[in-house]
Amino acid sequence: MAVPVDAAATALGSTPQQVMSVGTSLVNAGKLRETPAGYVLATGVTPDVSPAVATYLAGHLADAMANAQAEPRQVGRLLAAAGRYAGAWRTLADAILDGSSRYSDSEQIDLLEMAFGALSDARLDGGETEGRLRLRLARLYRNRGQTASARSSLETAIPRLTGEDLVDALGFAASVEDDLQHPQEAERWVSLAELAATRANSPAKLGSLLTFHGRELSRLGFAEEAASTVSKGQALLEAHGSDIQRFYGRLNQAWIDLDQGQMRNAEIAFARLRDEAASKEGEASQADKEAYWARALFGVGRPADALEAIERAQGLAAKVEAFAPVFISQLAAAEGGLLFEQWDVALAAADQALATALASLPSWENVCRYLRARALAGGGSVDEARAEVEAALAATPPGSNGLRWRLRLEELELELSDTWPQSRAEDLTDQLLQSRWLGAAADLMTMRSKREKDSELAAEAAALAMQLGNPVQAAKAITAGNLWQDPIALPVAAAMRSVVGRLPEDWAPTFLDNPAAQTALATDVEVGEDEVALLRERIDNALSAAGLAGEMVLSPAQRRSAGLVRRRPVRRRRGPLAIVGTAAAMTVIAVGAALAVVNLTEPPPTTTTLATTTTTVIEMEDMVVAAPETGILGSTEFRGDPGRSGVGSGAGIGEATGHYWRNPSGPFFVRPPIAHGQYLFVPNDENIIQVIQQRSGDVEQEIQIERLGSPIATGEAGESGTVVVYVSDRGVLHAHSAFRGIQFWQQDVGEVVTTPLVVGDSVYVATTEGRLLSFFLAGGQPKWVYPEGEPAGPFETAPALHGDTIYLASSDGLVHAVDINDGTAACDPVDTRFEI
């Protein structure tokens, strides 16, 4: 019985149109002889086919098409259908490597997946060719938002690559981690890529990678390091880079500007990048840059232009089936609606972005929920906004990866709070300024000025916003401080008049109801050089005071006392253990095993009158006494012992009436020193732990460390000797040799803010994710994790030991008891909360 050509086509794994088209052309060219395959193509019918016959037909047709120089992808398909997998792999690989520009992204993915299937069936090692194709497949997956698939493809690609191909793969792995909002992991990958680029003697690629590295450092909050790294990368690109590599270098700087809120710089940069993108990378890249340009255009006060850029981005994205520009456009529309208080517009765009994220980009859920929460709050739905903030925080990566967005969410949490935790607001401002997330800092300062009734803070927020090129934010700050009659408001009013002329027609009525816009339009005064100079002076003074400008960048402690961060005056009780000193000459005083003992046994003389009471403060005497011949030694852990009892061991020597030595080390001490044996271990703000001899005060070793996220702890690790452990602010547990300064091992643990607990041969750390982790002190191998399932709740207090049980409290009010031997629960958690 004869069957039509579509049955044969199905058996051959092709379509009827492809069979007839290819077959007809081959028959007309006289290149196909009377074979069963030729009969199918010439007559359009064939006898009923079995699998064996279908395989035979596919092989003959593949050979005929190859001889006729048909398209390789068709030949490869037929070779795979014929079971000739090695030939199919080679043919499909060549088709992708030589002619990928002829195929759409979907066609390339289809061909690559078929090629790898054939390679697996052939049981061959694809070598570097497979590595290059796996890298290409990873790029295609990323373009479609399939980040997990891109990651998986890279895992197979990287071990197969060498030279510049390896550099590209490692750099792309960093990009994928950045997509996932994992700047900490991205920074590690790009560091490996830089090493590979150095070994491959590729200064141009190294330059590109350095600019990308700077972007990740900026997203981790290392602003100074980011600026230095980008500068080095751009210098290499200027000397060695191609036009496209310099394009990428400028792109990374533009992203940094956007992250930091430098709207004027970002708008200029993305405008240029948008103009170049089409010729350098194609329409998908142009759509992407249009979307980012829109975000910057909103910031500089050009909303009508921004909406046009969004429309262009979405049109181009639809044309080339690009995924990312559509999502970035949705974020841009939400941000613009928020800035210009178009709450309905912002909420609709945030809803679209959240739907996209939940479907394809789960790592961006927190960003979309943040935007949605702001829109809800602006529209008056405060309770719903609070719920969105809570969900966004839950979706934010732990540790350093999520720091940037966690701070933004905490800022919004403060704004929605019924009470006002001023000290937390001050600390948060300090963190934002230190990390150069200046747009968020200006926003928080504006909010603080309203809640704290501080017009000077509002003036500084306005000055900062104007420096960033964000006139709408500056106007909000002037309104918050009721400063429209102050001369500093005149440049802001002039800028706002320009903004009003660039409003979309349907945005104008709502925006002009804004008091800031009304006041700005009513302030029709010519702005002269004096007013501009006043504004510049305010900016310079504010940034210099915050340690963000000038010859010296201040430490966090210095910014707290002399920056944009103001603290309420706090009455401090002076007593026998008051610490006296200056920032320039911080002192460690060793008296026995204690750090400071001052002999002020007599009360200070007091003079009393009917009106006032005056206290004369006795100065601390600088009395140096000889250290005992037996030496000074003894250990003082955090809170005294593993049980955190607050009671010292009493080891060391007896009382003294002075101090044995003084060490004016200069740097600030950022965490509590601890004593171990004959030595003090003192961490300072230069990321160094000084190892100081307790008897003499001599610095015997300096251990270079990362920035601390937790206090330090010490222990003895057998032949390795004394070990110092700590968790960095990147969420990495480090173990260093106390006297050689080298690092023994490190382990990723996530954010830890409490002191590690060292007991015997083990170290235990409690994470803010809600887990207690146990590691061997000597080698860093994991021992156990508590709990094994869902996290218990944030642990923000240090674990304590009694007997064989570790006790730790979670911030949800539960106390957990954990068996030190195997990490199992010694009993159910105890709820310590109670109601009155």
Side-chain angles (χ1 to χ4, degrees):
M1 168 178 143
V3 294
V5 72
D6 56 350
T10 300
L12 297 174
S14 189
T15 67
Q17 293 80 6
Q18 290 166 342
V19 169
M20 292 302 295
S21 174
V22 174
T24 301
S25 63
L26 291 174
V27 170
N28 291 340
K31 294 185 177 181
L32 197 62
R33 304 201 179 275
E34 290 299 324
T35 63
Y39 181 78
V40 171
L41 295 172
T43 65
V45 294
T46 183
D48 195 4
V49 293
S50 66
V53 172
T55 300
Y56 174 77
L57 291 173
H60 272 276
L61 187 56
D63 291 337
M65 292 175 68
N67 290 334
Q69 297 183 338
E71 194 170 353
R73 63 172 171 167
Q74 298 296 345
V75 177
R77 288 178 189 275
L78 289 166
L79 287 171
R84 291 156 59 180
Y85 301 118
W89 154 249
R90 287 190 294 270
T91 302
L92 291 169
D94 290 343
I96 290 293
L97 291 172
D98 296 338
S100 62
S101 60
R102 298 199 303 267
Y103 309 131
S104 68
D105 285 2
S106 298
E107 289 173 325
Q108 288 187 64
I109 290 173
D110 182 45
L111 288 173
L112 285 164
E113 289 177 343
M114 184 181 299
F116 296 135
L119 181 65
S120 176
D121 289 334
R123 299 183 180 179
L124 296 174
D125 183 354
E128 288 209 28
T129 299
E130 182 184 358
R132 288 194 293 272
L133 292 178
R134 293 279 183 188
L135 175 57
R136 179 165 296 184
L137 182 59
R139 294 185 190 280
L140 293 167
Y141 280 143
R142 184 195 182 205
N143 291 345
R144 298 175 61 166
Q146 297 173 251
T147 310
S149 297
R151 251 181 165 182
S152 177
S153 189
L154 280 169
E155 287 175 3
T156 309
I158 289 172
R160 288 171 164 77
L161 296 172
T162 60
E164 293 195 351
D165 289 331
L166 176 60
V167 176
D168 292 340
L170 293 170
F172 185 69
S175 298
V176 170
E177 293 300 330
D178 181 69
D179 291 344
L180 293 169
Q181 289 198 64
H182 292 160
Q184 184 174 349
E185 282 72 26
E187 195 267 339
R188 293 174 187 166
W189 279 112
V190 77
S191 296
L192 290 172
E194 288 166 2
L195 177 60
T198 303
R199 289 176 174 173
N201 192 27
S202 180
K205 287 188 180 292
L206 179 59
S208 287
L209 290 166
L210 284 168
T211 64
F212 180 84
H213 198 164
R215 178 174 123 202
E216 298 312 302
L217 288 170
S218 175
R219 289 180 173 176
L220 288 167
F222 297 105
E224 295 297 323
E225 295 87 343
S228 173
T229 303
V230 170
S231 177
K232 292 174 184 175
Q234 289 176 333
L236 279 174
L237 290 176
E238 285 301 313
H240 305 282
S242 66
D243 196 32
I244 186 67
Q245 287 170 325
R246 286 192 285 270
F247 171 85
Y248 285 130
R250 293 195 301 276
L251 177 60
N252 284 320
Q253 180 61 63
W255 270 322
I256 292 173
D257 290 336
L258 198 61
D259 289 344
Q260 293 182 347
Q262 300 272 6
M263 289 302 176
R264 182 183 296 108
N265 294 346
E267 188 277 320
I268 294 170
F270 278 113
R272 178 182 176 185
L273 292 163
R274 185 279 309 257
D275 292 339
E276 297 179 64
S279 61
K280 287 184 169 60
E281 291 191 304
E283 291 180 319
S285 176
Q286 184 182 359
D288 182 75
K289 307 311 175 288
E290 286 275 12
Y292 277 106
W293 188 35
R295 296 178 68 186
L297 284 167
F298 279 124
V300 297
R302 295 168 55 186
D305 294 337
L307 291 175
E308 290 176 3
I310 288 175
E311 187 175 349
R312 287 193 300 270
Q314 293 180 336
L316 284 168
K319 178 182 175 182
V320 297
E321 300 180 0
F323 172 81
V326 175
F327 180 66
I328 300 301
S329 296
Q330 292 164 347
L331 296 182
E335 291 169 346
L338 293 174
L339 183 62
F340 287 85
E341 299 185 359
Q342 307 292 313
W343 309 121
D344 291 342
V345 172
L347 184 59
D351 285 341
Q352 288 179 333
L354 180 59
T356 302
L358 293 176
S360 305
L361 295 169
S363 57
W364 285 76
E365 178 186 350
N366 62 332
V367 178
C368 301
R369 290 196 183 278
Y370 165 81
L371 296 172
R372 192 170 189 276
R374 278 212 172 274
L376 288 166
S381 301
V382 176
D383 289 340
E384 195 175 348
R386 287 172 178 157
E388 280 294 287
V389 171
E390 187 175 343
L393 284 168
T396 298
S400 297
N401 282 324
L403 177 64
R404 184 165 60 106
W405 281 104
R406 193 180 308 111
L407 294 183
R408 297 295 300 270
L409 286 161
E410 289 178 9
E411 175 187 343
L412 180 53
E413 207 170 29
L414 287 177
E415 185 174 342
L416 299 174
S417 175
D418 292 330
T419 59
W420 184 246
Q422 183 169 331
S423 61
R424 177 59 188 141
E426 291 164 347
D427 286 339
L428 190 54
T429 308
D430 186 38
Q431 287 180 280
L432 292 170
L433 289 170
Q434 180 185 7
S435 301
R436 297 293 199 280
W437 295 323
L438 302 178
D443 190 38
L444 177 56
M445 290 158 61
T446 300
M447 178 174 60
R448 285 181 56 200
S449 69
K450 288 189 288 188
R451 300 292 286 263
E452 298 168 20
K453 310 300 182 187
D454 189 338
S455 60
E456 183 64 21
L457 190 57
E460 290 170 349
L464 180 57
M466 285 296 286
Q467 187 212 43
L468 298 173
N470 192 332
V472 177
Q473 181 60 50
K476 291 179 179 180
I478 293 293
T479 300
N482 195 24
L483 293 170
W484 284 109
Q485 302 306 313
D486 191 295
I488 194 176
L490 294 178
V492 180
M496 282 295 292
R497 288 197 293 275
S498 175
V499 171
V500 169
R502 292 168 167 170
L503 286 170
E505 187 175 342
D506 55 342
W507 286 25
T510 306
F511 186 71
L512 293 178
D513 283 341
N514 185 311
Q518 293 175 1
T519 308
L521 291 175
T523 311
D524 191 11
V525 179
E526 193 70 26
V527 178
E529 284 297 324
D530 291 344
E531 288 78 12
V532 174
L534 180 64
L535 180 66
R536 287 175 181 160
E537 181 182 358
R538 186 67 62 91
I539 293 169
D540 292 341
N541 290 344
L543 294 179
S544 295
L548 300 173
E551 296 181 358
M552 181 176 64
V553 176
L554 304 181
S555 72
Q558 289 169 314
R559 278 193 298 277
R560 284 190 175 94
S561 61
L564 294 172
V565 182
R566 289 188 185 75
R567 296 207 175 272
R568 298 182 207 161
V570 179
R571 290 186 178 180
R572 302 189 183 276
R573 192 174 63 137
R574 303 183 69 88
L577 296 181
I579 297 174
V580 180
T582 67
M586 203 69 170
T587 303
V588 176
I589 303 175
V591 179
L595 295 182
V597 175
V598 183
N599 186 26
L600 294 178
T601 55
E602 296 295 326
T606 301
T607 304
T608 304
T609 66
L610 292 176
T612 61
T613 300
T614 304
T615 300
T616 303
V617 179
I618 297 178
E619 295 294 330
M620 183 186 297
E621 294 184 11
D622 186 8
M623 183 181 294
V624 182
V625 296
E629 294 183 1
T630 55
I632 305 172
L633 58 93
S635 294
T636 303
E637 302 178 72
F638 173 72
R639 295 290 302 159
D641 58 21
R644 315 300 195 196
S645 66
V647 178
S649 65
I653 59 145
E655 294 183 1
T657 56
H659 59 267
Y660 294 117
W661 50 261
R662 178 175 292 176
N663 176 21
S665 60
F668 286 88
F669 301 146
V670 294
R671 296 287 182 175
I674 58 174
H676 186 100
Q678 300 181 42
Y679 300 92
L680 292 175
F681 295 85
V682 186
N684 63 40
D685 68 349
E686 292 183 348
N687 298 330
I688 288 173
I689 297 175
Q690 291 184 330
V691 183
I692 301 176
Q693 225 287 343
Q694 287 197 51
R695 179 175 182 178
S696 65
D698 294 336
V699 178
E700 298 208 356
Q701 180 63 262
E702 290 191 336
I703 306 172
Q704 185 68 50
I705 61 172
E706 293 189 8
R707 192 159 57 179
L708 289 172
S710 76
I712 64 174
T714 55
E716 294 294 328
E719 295 181 358
S720 298
T722 304
V723 177
V724 181
V725 295
Y726 71 95
V727 179
S728 72
D729 68 349
R730 298 191 305 121
V732 180
L733 173 64
H734 297 264
H736 288 263
S737 164
F739 302 110
R740 286 184 286 163
I742 62 173
Q743 178 172 286
F744 286 139
W745 53 266
Q746 65 180 44
Q747 287 280 6
D748 288 337
V749 294
E751 184 180 44
V752 174
V753 296
T754 67
T755 309
L757 175 65
V758 178
V759 180
D761 65 352
S762 302
V763 56
Y764 306 88
V765 292
T767 74
T768 59
E769 182 191 10
R771 298 194 188 280
L772 179 65
L773 309 176
S774 171
F775 301 92
F776 284 104
L777 187 60
Q781 300 89 344
K783 292 179 64 178
W784 48 256
V785 177
Y786 170 84
E788 291 185 348
E790 291 296 316
F795 291 133
E796 297 179 349
T797 57
L801 177 70
H802 180 73
D804 286 338
T805 304
I806 297 176
Y807 296 91
L808 65 167
S810 55
S811 60
D812 56 5
L814 299 179
V815 176
H816 300 256
V818 184
D819 190 302
I820 195 171
N821 298 305
D822 57 13
T824 59
C827 63
D828 291 335
V830 178
D831 193 339
T832 60
R833 296 167 295 183
F834 62 89
E835 295 182 0
I836 298 176

